[in-house]
C-alpha cells in the first residue's frame, strides 16, 4: 500500500468527476484540507472513507488502496461485485457534523457578519456623535434582532445539510 500512489489515484478520480476538493470533502463530511492531505500522500483515508469514495467513483476499495484500476478480467469482476455497501451510519457523530456545517456557514458568511457588526457599531456611534443619546437604548434591540436573525439563518442551513429537505 503506497499512500502517494493512492493519493494520486484519488486525485485522478476526483478530477474525472469534475469535482473540487471542497465538493468531495462536503460529500464525505471532511474538509478540503483532509482531501488535499490524502491526495498528497500525507495521510491515508480510513476504511469508511474508502468505501464512500469507492461508491462515489464507482471503483472498489481494493483499487483505491492499490492506487490503480484493476486490469485482470476475473479479478476485476470479483472486486467490483465485492464492493462494500455504503454504511448506513457515519463515523462522525451528529454533533461533529453540526459543528462542521456551522463552521462552514460562518466561513462563507464572514463578510455579511462583518457588515452587520459595522451596522451595530454605527448604531452606537451615531447617537453619541449627534448628541442624541436617547437612541442608544435601540442598540441592544438592534443587536438582539440581528443575532436572532443570523442565528436562525445559520441553523436553517445546518439543518438542511444534516437532515436534507428544503
Amino acid at each position: 500500500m503506497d499512500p502517494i500512489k493512492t493519493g494520486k489515484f484519488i486525485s485522478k478520480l476526483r478530477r474525472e468527476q469534475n469535482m473540487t476538493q471542497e465538493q468531495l470533502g462536503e460529500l464525505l463530511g471532511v474538509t478540503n484540507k483532509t482531501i488535499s492531505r490524502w491526495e498528497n500522500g500525507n495521510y491515508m483515508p480510513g476504511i469508511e472513507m474508502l468505501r464512500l469514495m469507492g461508491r462515489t467513483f464507482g471503483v472498489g476499495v481494493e483499487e483505491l488502496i492499490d492506487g490503480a484500476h484493476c486490469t485482470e478480467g476475473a479479478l476485476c469482476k470479483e472486486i467490483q461485485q465485492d464492493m462494500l455497501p455504503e454504511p448506513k451510519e457515519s463515523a462522525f457523530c451528529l454533533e461533529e457534523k453540526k459543528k462542521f456545517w456551522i463552521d462552514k456557514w460562518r466561513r462563507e458568511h464572514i463578510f455579511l457578519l462583518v457588515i452587520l457588526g459595522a451596522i451595530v457599531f454605527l448604531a452606537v456611534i451615531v447617537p453619541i456623535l449627534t448628541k442624541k443619546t436617547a437612541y442608544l437604548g435601540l442598540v441592544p434591540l438592534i443587536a438582539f434582532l440581528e443575532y436572532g436573525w443570523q442565528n436562525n439563518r445559520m441553523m436553517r442551513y445546518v439543518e438542511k445539510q444534516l437532515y436534507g429537505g428544503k
Side-chain angles (χ1 to χ4, degrees):
M1 176 168 53
D2 181 1
I4 293 175
K5 189 175 177 185
T6 298
K8 287 181 181 179
F9 189 58
I10 291 170
S11 177
K12 176 182 173 252
L13 293 171
R14 176 182 58 79
R15 290 178 187 176
E16 286 174 359
Q17 296 284 327
N18 294 320
M19 295 175 80
T20 65
Q21 289 180 340
E22 186 169 333
Q23 289 169 330
L24 180 58
E26 284 181 22
L27 191 65
L28 300 176
V30 297
T31 66
N32 60 330
K33 291 178 184 174
T34 299
I35 302 297
S36 176
R37 290 178 185 128
W38 292 343
E39 291 182 357
N40 290 326
N42 296 333
Y43 295 99
M44 280 292 288
I47 188 67
E48 181 178 341
M49 292 298 132
L50 290 170
R51 288 176 176 170
L52 291 172
M53 278 191 279
R55 281 282 192 207
T56 301
F57 299 134
V59 297
V61 173
E62 292 84 358
E63 291 174 285
L64 286 168
I65 291 172
D66 290 341
H69 289 289
C70 58
T71 54
E72 299 173 22
L75 178 62
C76 191
K77 285 180 185 174
E78 182 180 319
I79 288 173
Q80 288 177 348
Q81 288 173 350
D82 196 32
M83 279 179 42
L84 299 169
E86 186 174 334
K88 293 181 177 27
E89 301 250 343
S90 173
F92 301 101
C93 72
L94 185 62
E95 287 303 314
E96 291 171 324
K97 290 178 185 178
K98 184 176 178 181
K99 182 182 179 327
F100 171 81
W101 289 113
I102 287 173
D103 292 344
K104 181 173 178 11
W105 187 90
R106 286 184 178 148
R107 282 191 311 271
E108 290 176 353
H109 293 83
I110 191 73
F111 180 72
L112 176 64
L113 295 172
V114 168
I115 294 295
L116 296 171
I119 291 170
V120 171
F121 176 74
L122 288 174
V124 171
I125 296 299
V126 170
I128 292 172
L129 293 177
T130 60
K131 304 211 187 314
K132 296 184 180 182
T133 56
Y135 294 115
L136 280 175
L138 293 176
V139 173
L141 178 63
I142 292 170
F144 179 74
L145 291 173
E146 173 56 31
Y147 173 79
W149 181 63
Q150 286 299 326
N151 195 50
N152 189 25
R153 285 185 64 213
M154 177 181 63
M155 292 316 295
R156 280 196 325 248
Y157 171 81
V158 170
E159 286 176 3
K160 179 181 175 191
Q161 297 302 324
L162 289 176
Y163 307 114
K166 296 179 182 179

